[in-house]
Amino acid sequence: MFEANWRCATMAAVLFCALSIPPSVHAADAKKVLRVAFEVAETGFDPVKVTDGYSSQVMRAVFEGLLTYDYLARPVKLIPSTAEALPEVSEGGRTYVFKIRSGIFFQADAAFHGQRRELTAADYAYSIKRFVDPANRSPWRFLVDGKIIGLDAVAKKAAQAKRFDYDVKVPGLEVVDRYTLRIRLTAPDYNFAYIMAMPAMSAVAREVIEAYADDTNAHPVGTGPYVLRSWTRKAKIVLEADPGYREVIWNFAGSDDPRDRAAVAAMKGKRIPQIGRVEISVIEEEQSRWLAFQRGEIDFIDRFGSFAPIAIPDNKLAPDLAARGITWDRSVEPEITYYFLNMKDPTLGGYTKEKIALRRAIILSYDVNEEIRVIRKQQAMGDESPVPPGVVGYDPTYRSLLRYDPLLANRLLDYFGYKKGSDGYRNDPSGRRFSVVLTSEPQAISREYDELWKKALDGIGVRFETRKSPFSDNIKAAEACQVAMWGSAWISDYPDGENFMQLLYGPNIHQSNHSCYESAAFDAMYLRMKNMPNSPERDRLFLLMSRQMEVDGVWKMGVSRYRNVLVYPQVKGYRYHPILVNAWEYMDLDPSARKQ
């Protein structure tokens, strides 16, 4: 969801140098119950197996990585989490040394047979090895593929033996001592510290994974502030504060922004976490979420696009909501939305001129501005390239070649032999009937996008069909290259354009590359870019990769959404973070304010 050896003495304002700060408020109160809603169902809670943002929010509460982010710093800033300090970086970005804080323990679990289990450097080495274990089929494998010295060779041997040897030594994953991990890379990686802050890079305990090998997604056990108390799949998730969580004190500084000042006033000096229980309901329909918020059944709400004219008319908080003490927090998401076209699909895929023309025509037919106006109620801004505002590599002057132009789309199809039949719809150049099949979800908002796409494709004489499946099923099908076309979104895991361009990198097929796109030209530029420091030359590679993707007709670029969050007065310390998203451990709750 990403600075060397600085210690607490030089980072006095940083949260995790808190052991010397006396707590002014006791730890979590079981009477404080935060109620939130997910708009999409979770898929599970094994860090190496799950990529969706909703599951990741839960995993980030249960597990911990070596690094995390300052809750209030903008632009975002890395800080230590379980590490004592930011990593020592040497050899020009090839070697990273992490010192782990002693006295951090995993949550109690039967897998530990009644013993307290301390977190060690070996746990992070083990967790990293899990990415390349063929049995895990990790969609995050690209994070380490080709990066850590010796890891690929171990993975290759495991694929041949059909068994991964977790006890084998990996030269690039060196457990120096109980609390020191040295990671040696095959090439400089200036984003590696950011990668180590991702939820996917959290530590798991080998005993737990082996005890629950049949369903690791259902048994998350980490060192984080919350434990998974109950889980009704695709319906409700309940987290409870871990009574054994170490003493950590809220001590962020923030800026002069009134929202930052309010968070500091409410939280500074308090022990983390304060909220004893987090109840997450899956409410997929936007109207149902809005009604639940109106009735006070959830404590804050985001992404209420259809109701934006009611909640924030003229981009001002509605008087009736303000009168109830509700506050409004707004940010631009460091994200993109896009529709991908599967390069391996029998109808849409391939790299012949005719296939490229078809994909370009489809892309040209769709009006993103109408989507923003009609469906998103002006609560988004159109994206021109795969690199959005707020991350390294963004170019505000870049303009897409494939902007809305149905006239040009029709001319393309005419020129390349997609002739209309007696029913008014086009057949392919061989005369065969074809349809564009869009995969989407069964909720009402998805039907609005379906209708917009049907209107677009009717305008160029192309038949349109939809195929409905739950979000979690669609992810699996996309990873298997079995989805012809699907709308997706990617929120920044770390603030660098590489995190977005990897979605188009050929070797990431069956992982994050859902368009199953393979381009030798794109891949060569990607490999050059990812090993370079920030520079004008690197920025130019972002531009050229964007152009290559457009020329091949891979994505229809969508929007970066405004994150509008309405928060009831009982919630204290809420601030939207572009990477952490919902950081429940940094909030507090006043149950008496809820009653009022």
Side-chain angles (χ1 to χ4, degrees):
M1 254 145 146
F2 325 179
E3 291 187 297
N5 186 20
W6 298 305
R7 299 282 177 169
C8 290
T10 60
M11 300 182 68
V14 171
L15 165 68
F16 290 94
C17 294
L19 294 180
S20 61
I21 303 174
S24 61
V25 178
H26 293 298
D29 183 347
K31 296 178 182 178
K32 297 177 179 179
V33 181
L34 181 70
R35 300 171 301 192
V36 300
F38 282 173
E39 62 179 324
V40 172
E42 77 298 329
T43 55
F45 311 116
D46 184 334
V48 307
K49 295 181 179 180
V50 174
T51 60
D52 71 280
Y54 305 94
S55 300
S56 292
Q57 292 178 44
V58 175
M59 289 190 295
R60 207 190 56 74
V62 174
F63 297 102
E64 291 179 303
L66 289 158
L67 306 175
T68 187
Y69 289 87
D70 185 302
Y71 183 50
L72 298 182
R74 306 292 186 274
V76 297
K77 183 177 74 173
L78 285 172
I79 60 173
S81 179
T82 61
E84 290 184 349
L86 297 173
E88 300 172 13
V89 184
S90 61
E91 295 186 86
R94 286 182 171 86
T95 299
Y96 287 73
V97 177
F98 295 89
K99 300 282 188 178
I100 297 169
R101 189 181 298 279
S102 63
I104 296 176
F105 292 90
F106 283 93
Q107 297 145 4
D109 189 85
F112 301 133
H113 305 291
Q115 302 295 312
R116 292 193 78 193
R117 171 64 156 79
E118 189 180 23
L119 174 71
T120 69
D123 294 315
Y124 283 103
Y126 169 78
S127 299
I128 291 171
K129 289 177 181 178
R130 293 189 68 228
F131 286 104
V132 298
D133 183 342
N136 290 328
R137 299 178 182 177
S138 176
W140 289 115
R141 179 167 174 163
F142 69 89
L143 293 174
V144 298
D145 256 348
K147 288 187 179 181
I148 299 175
I149 293 173
L151 189 58
D152 288 358
V154 174
K156 183 177 181 180
K157 184 177 292 186
Q160 294 169 344
K162 296 184 179 181
R163 177 185 173 276
F164 194 92
D165 183 0
Y166 282 97
D167 295 314
V168 70
K169 299 292 185 182
V170 177
L173 278 178
E174 183 183 357
V175 179
V176 180
D177 57 42
R178 184 172 178 84
Y179 304 114
T180 306
L181 177 67
R182 180 184 290 121
I183 301 178
R184 296 168 56 224
L185 305 179
T186 58
D189 188 338
Y190 299 93
N191 285 321
F192 192 72
Y194 287 119
I195 289 171
M196 294 303 292
M198 292 175 60
M201 286 293 184
S202 299
V204 299
R206 183 170 180 174
E207 303 95 308
V208 173
I209 298 302
E210 292 178 349
Y212 305 111
D214 293 337
D215 192 6
T216 54
N217 266 323
H219 297 277
V221 179
T223 63
Y226 288 99
V227 299
L228 179 66
R229 183 56 60 213
S230 65
W231 179 27
T232 304
R233 295 178 189 247
K234 301 182 180 181
K236 192 161 188 175
I237 304 160
V238 177
L239 303 174
E240 289 185 357
D242 177 21
Y245 189 62
R246 65 191 181 278
E247 182 178 280
V248 179
I249 307 302
W250 203 106
N251 194 36
F252 299 106
S255 68
D256 289 333
D257 187 309
R259 296 169 296 180
D260 281 4
R261 292 201 302 266
V264 171
M267 298 299 299
K268 188 176 178 66
K270 291 184 178 181
R271 186 169 175 174
I272 294 171
Q274 285 290 300
I275 295 171
R277 184 178 173 97
V278 181
E279 296 181 352
I280 306 162
S281 300
V282 177
I283 308 177
E284 295 183 333
E285 293 294 347
E286 188 175 67
Q287 182 177 19
S288 299
R289 288 197 307 278
W290 177 249
L291 291 174
F293 178 74
Q294 288 281 66
R295 293 191 294 261
E297 295 170 1
I298 54 178
D299 293 308
F300 62 85
I301 186 173
D302 56 12
R303 299 218 179 119
F304 48 88
S306 299
F307 296 92
I310 298 171
I312 47 173
D314 299 319
N315 288 324
K316 296 179 182 178
L317 183 63
D320 64 311
L321 298 180
R324 297 169 66 182
I326 292 169
T327 56
W328 172 35
D329 189 291
R330 188 186 202 189
S331 305
V332 178
E333 298 266 27
E335 63 153 11
I336 57 172
T337 67
Y338 59 98
Y339 284 88
F340 67 79
L341 291 83
N342 182 358
M343 299 298 106
K344 294 184 180 294
D345 181 72
T347 299
L348 299 179
Y351 296 87
T352 63
K353 292 180 180 179
E354 293 79 11
K355 293 290 191 176
I356 292 173
L358 174 61
R359 293 195 298 271
R360 288 186 190 172
I362 292 169
I363 293 168
L364 289 164
S365 75
Y366 186 83
D367 188 357
V368 168
N369 288 327
E370 185 175 4
E371 173 188 319
I372 293 172
R373 185 177 65 256
V374 175
I375 302 178
R376 298 192 181 276
K377 311 302 181 188
Q378 304 291 356
Q379 298 306 307
M381 55 186 289
D383 287 326
E384 298 286 341
S385 86
V387 183
V391 303
V392 173
Y394 170 66
D395 181 356
T397 68
Y398 185 94
R399 294 295 178 266
S400 172
L401 299 172
L402 302 178
R403 304 167 73 82
Y404 175 59
D405 192 339
L407 179 61
L408 178 57
N410 275 296
R411 287 177 175 173
L412 264 177
L413 294 174
D414 290 340
Y415 183 84
F416 283 96
Y418 291 88
K419 296 180 180 180
K420 290 184 179 179
S422 58
D423 61 356
Y425 287 101
R426 298 179 185 272
N427 298 317
D428 71 15
S430 70
R432 287 178 294 190
R433 176 190 176 97
F434 75 95
S435 298
V436 170
V437 180
L438 174 68
T439 292
S440 70
E441 289 70 46
Q443 54 260 51
I445 190 66
S446 296
R447 290 192 288 274
E448 295 187 47
Y449 290 99
D450 298 345
E451 291 167 5
L452 203 56
W453 268 106
K454 177 168 174 47
K455 176 183 175 182
L457 295 184
D458 279 349
I460 60 172
V462 172
R463 299 174 190 86
F464 174 76
E465 299 176 19
T466 58
R467 183 169 296 155
K468 300 288 184 180
S469 301
F471 177 77
S472 56
D473 292 348
N474 290 340
I475 287 181
K476 294 176 183 177
E479 289 173 352
C481 295
Q482 295 173 351
V483 172
M485 181 178 173
W486 187 33
S488 190
W490 190 267
I491 299 177
S492 179
D493 293 305
Y494 46 92
D496 190 275
E498 185 269 336
N499 185 232
F500 294 86
M501 289 301 185
Q502 58 84 18
L503 298 170
L504 293 155
Y505 179 50
N508 290 353
I509 292 174
H510 302 309
Q511 299 178 63
S512 58
N513 182 351
H514 292 170
S515 52
C516 305
Y517 175 51
E518 292 179 286
S519 163
F522 183 98
D523 291 351
M525 288 187 286
Y526 174 84
L527 289 172
R528 285 178 57 202
M529 173 275 300
K530 77 169 191 170
N531 291 327
M532 292 171 65
N534 296 335
S535 63
E537 183 182 358
R538 189 169 187 259
D539 289 341
R540 177 168 171 76
L541 286 172
F542 282 124
L543 183 152
L544 292 174
M545 285 187 286
S546 298
R547 289 289 186 234
Q548 185 68 53
M549 180 274 292
E550 290 185 293
V551 166
D552 289 333
V554 186
W555 285 359
K556 172 61 182 179
M557 293 306 309
V559 304
S560 292
R561 294 166 286 188
Y562 298 134
R563 170 77 70 157
N564 292 299
V565 189
L566 299 178
V567 186
Y568 272 107
Q570 61 265 24
V571 180
K572 308 298 181 183
Y574 178 90
R575 284 296 273 126
Y576 170 70
H577 191 285
I579 307 296
L580 301 180
V581 186
N582 287 326
W584 303 307
E585 69 272 26
Y586 299 146
M587 305 178 202
D588 200 355
L589 195 78
D590 180 0
S592 65
R594 175 185 283 153
K595 293 176 183 177
Q596 294 170 11

